[in-house]
Amino acid sequence: MANDYFKDILPAPGSSNQPPAPKANDNTPVGSGQAQSKSSQGSVERSIRNISVSPRQRPRVGTSDMREVPAGMASTVDARQPQGSRRRPWIWVIAVVSVIVLAVLALFAFRSTTVTVIPRSHAVVLDQTSKFTAYPALGAAAGSLTYTVVANDIEDSAVVQSKGKERAEERASGTVEVFNEYSSASVRLIKNTRFATPNGLVFRVPASVVVPGKTGTKPGSAKITIFADQAGPEYNIGPVERFTLPGLKTSPAMYAKVYARSSASMTGGFVGDRPIVLPSALESARAEIRGRLESKARDGARALSSSTSAVFTYLMQIAYESLPFSTEAGGDVRIHERARVLVPVFPALELSQAVARVAGADAENASVMLVKIDKLAAKRSSSASSISLGKDPFDFSISGTAQIVWNVDAAALSSALAGRDNSAFQEIVNGFSSIQEARARIEPFWKSTFPSDASDINIELSPVQTDKQG
């Protein structure tokens, strides 16, 4: 027969041996009460109603178990919750706030001290009366405006429709520069004077020419065009370092010191049948090609400008050279043109100082820089058209509006401020004539002195305001 477990636990209906509920102020230990009950009653039937639970051993009561806890114990559990569990949220709040405060303090503590500087500036307005002279860098006097030359060869071509064929014989030609190192007196070369290459090819001058005398140790010179003595492609030669003049052999000293040099090829020599090209079509195509070459030359010159170099595209020299024709598959003619480009390049610092002197910017012995140079235009004087760039000085003018900005020595400024009190800031800044305005932010914010290490002071240069003048 199966046991009735509920019968073993619960008292029988109507039983009178249920112990009375303990009073709230009863100080009698639970254990002693059970002992007395056992002594007085002997064996007592156990049930869920007469089991006493010690407060120290009371099991943790969850929400799902509340229905099993007697009503009298529920209030006791709530009243005896540990106070630490109620304080725990406040501890987390305090910790988070502390971390945020420390992070903010660290952010300011590790920021670098910064000095923001507005350099001194001066607006300049130049016109055609603003004259300058530039000298070749090699051998120029100290304090003068110097220049170097960047040379470049550019080629382009175009196809021109032909009008049949013709028999032609053409002599090659080209430009040479004749030098007179013989005497201070000029030398006159008559028509058809011969110019011989080292390998014996002879060219002639088509008209008489006068070569100026030397000045001191500098030889006199003149540029002329010479033509091959005979027709044929064998005279289409490259640059020649030295042409001799056979007609001067009777005077050995003169023969040795009057000579010529070419910097470009001789071209145009031809014998044979060639396509016929109308002169008007030829000139139109040649003009179009040279226009493209000039545009390419100006783009190349602009690319030479930098923070240390200044270039004016209208000061460059372009020498055009017509190269031999080539025949296309259909019988048309492709004409070829070459441009020899010489670009004078100025040191930016020297040009800036020269402009400052002409503009009266009170920048004597100061380090200044010319900005917005693209707003300026330069033009060579008429006498400079015949000079040899890279060898001779030349005069030019500049017009337009630009700005001169004084260069600030950031290293010197940070060294002067290192370890000094903030109250001395304005006095130190006033000692730098290149500074228009300055402001400082010392970090951390609670400090009143600049860092003792100059490398910890960051100097920032603000863009120059164009409406300010020094």
Side-chain angles (χ1 to χ4, degrees):
M1 182 177 181
N3 291 330
D4 190 351
Y5 295 102
F6 285 95
K7 180 179 179 181
D8 294 336
I9 296 175
L10 300 177
S15 175
S16 60
N17 57 356
Q18 180 178 353
K23 296 181 180 180
N25 58 355
D26 188 2
N27 295 325
T28 304
V30 176
S32 62
Q34 290 176 349
Q36 291 176 3
S37 175
K38 285 183 180 181
S39 62
S40 60
Q41 298 180 10
S43 178
V44 180
E45 184 180 2
R46 300 183 63 188
S47 71
I48 200 169
R49 295 182 179 272
N50 59 15
I51 296 176
S52 298
V53 180
S54 172
R56 294 181 180 273
Q57 300 176 351
R58 183 173 65 251
R60 189 171 181 178
V61 180
T63 305
S64 60
D65 299 330
M66 287 299 292
R67 64 178 178 271
E68 300 179 8
V69 179
M73 293 181 62
S75 60
T76 304
V77 171
D78 294 339
R80 294 185 180 183
Q81 276 189 337
Q83 295 183 358
S85 62
R86 291 182 300 205
R87 290 196 301 265
R88 190 170 301 159
W90 290 105
I91 293 174
W92 283 105
V93 171
I94 293 171
V96 171
V97 171
S98 300
V99 170
I100 293 174
V101 171
L102 290 175
V104 172
L105 291 177
L107 177 64
F108 283 99
F110 289 104
R111 288 174 65 181
S112 61
T113 293
T114 301
V115 177
T116 304
V117 174
I118 299 178
R120 182 182 171 190
S121 62
H122 185 96
V124 294
V125 179
L126 304 173
D127 54 29
Q128 295 293 337
T129 63
S130 303
K131 302 292 185 180
F132 302 85
T133 301
Y135 299 85
L138 185 61
S144 59
L145 175 59
T146 65
Y147 76 95
T148 56
V149 173
V150 174
N152 190 22
D153 289 333
I154 311 172
E155 293 186 10
D156 202 347
S157 64
V159 175
V160 180
Q161 187 176 7
S162 64
K163 300 294 182 179
K165 291 186 177 183
E166 64 178 355
R167 182 72 180 177
E169 294 184 1
E170 298 287 347
R171 293 188 298 163
S173 64
T175 301
V176 298
E177 186 171 9
V178 185
F179 296 93
N180 176 11
E181 292 181 357
Y182 174 65
S183 69
S184 57
S186 61
V187 174
R188 182 181 181 85
L189 303 178
I190 64 173
K191 179 181 178 180
N192 289 328
T193 295
R194 292 171 294 165
F195 292 79
T197 66
N199 60 357
L201 293 177
V202 175
F203 291 78
R204 295 179 182 270
V205 61
S208 64
V209 61
V210 175
V211 183
K214 66 179 181 178
T215 303
T217 59
K218 181 181 178 181
S221 65
K223 290 184 177 181
I224 61 174
T225 299
I226 58 175
F227 290 83
D229 198 34
Q230 297 179 11
E234 63 271 20
Y235 286 86
N236 296 327
I237 59 176
V240 176
E241 181 61 27
R242 190 180 183 95
F243 287 88
T244 58
L245 280 68
L248 301 178
K249 279 187 177 181
T250 56
S251 175
M254 195 173 185
Y255 178 75
K257 295 188 176 182
V258 177
Y259 58 93
R261 178 187 302 133
S262 65
S263 57
S265 300
M266 300 290 170
T267 59
F270 178 81
V271 173
D273 294 334
R274 68 181 182 186
I276 299 174
V277 179
L278 295 178
S280 58
L282 181 63
E283 291 304 316
S284 176
R286 183 170 290 149
E288 180 182 348
I289 295 172
R290 292 185 177 184
R292 292 200 301 265
L293 289 174
E294 181 178 358
S295 179
K296 291 178 182 178
R298 296 197 185 283
D299 290 341
R302 292 189 191 97
L304 297 174
S305 294
S306 67
S307 59
T308 58
S309 301
V311 173
F312 296 103
T313 59
Y314 285 96
L315 295 182
M316 67 184 182
Q317 285 184 346
I318 305 178
Y320 297 104
E321 178 184 2
S322 295
L323 302 178
F325 299 164
S326 61
T327 305
E328 297 289 288
D332 291 335
V333 174
R334 179 175 292 276
I335 62 173
H336 302 265
E337 293 287 314
R338 176 188 294 156
R340 176 73 171 174
V341 184
L342 302 178
V343 183
V345 180
F346 304 95
L349 182 59
E350 289 183 11
L351 179 65
S352 300
Q353 291 172 332
V355 171
R357 286 194 295 269
V358 171
D362 189 24
E364 194 68 27
N365 300 322
S367 176
V368 295
M369 186 58 63
L370 188 65
V371 297
K372 297 187 177 179
I373 192 173
D374 57 321
K375 303 297 182 182
L376 298 175
K379 181 180 179 181
R380 283 184 297 170
S381 63
S382 57
S383 61
S385 58
S386 61
I387 63 102
S388 178
L389 275 180
K391 298 178 181 179
D392 303 324
F394 69 94
D395 299 325
F396 64 99
S397 61
I398 299 178
S399 60
T401 302
Q403 194 137 13
I404 294 173
V405 178
W406 273 249
N407 293 319
V408 177
D409 191 338
L413 178 59
S414 58
S415 296
L417 292 172
R420 299 294 298 275
D421 190 83
N422 187 35
S423 59
F425 174 71
Q426 196 59 51
E427 179 183 355
I428 294 172
V429 168
N430 291 341
F432 287 78
S433 60
S434 58
I435 297 178
Q436 180 77 29
E437 298 177 18
R439 59 182 181 274
R441 187 191 70 220
I442 299 178
E443 299 293 350
F445 62 84
W446 57 83
K447 294 186 66 176
S448 60
T449 59
F450 287 89
S452 57
D453 189 347
S455 63
D456 292 334
I457 302 175
N458 181 34
I459 306 298
E460 291 184 353
L461 298 179
S462 291
V464 176
Q465 301 178 17
T466 56
D467 58 345
K468 286 187 176 290
Q469 295 187 13

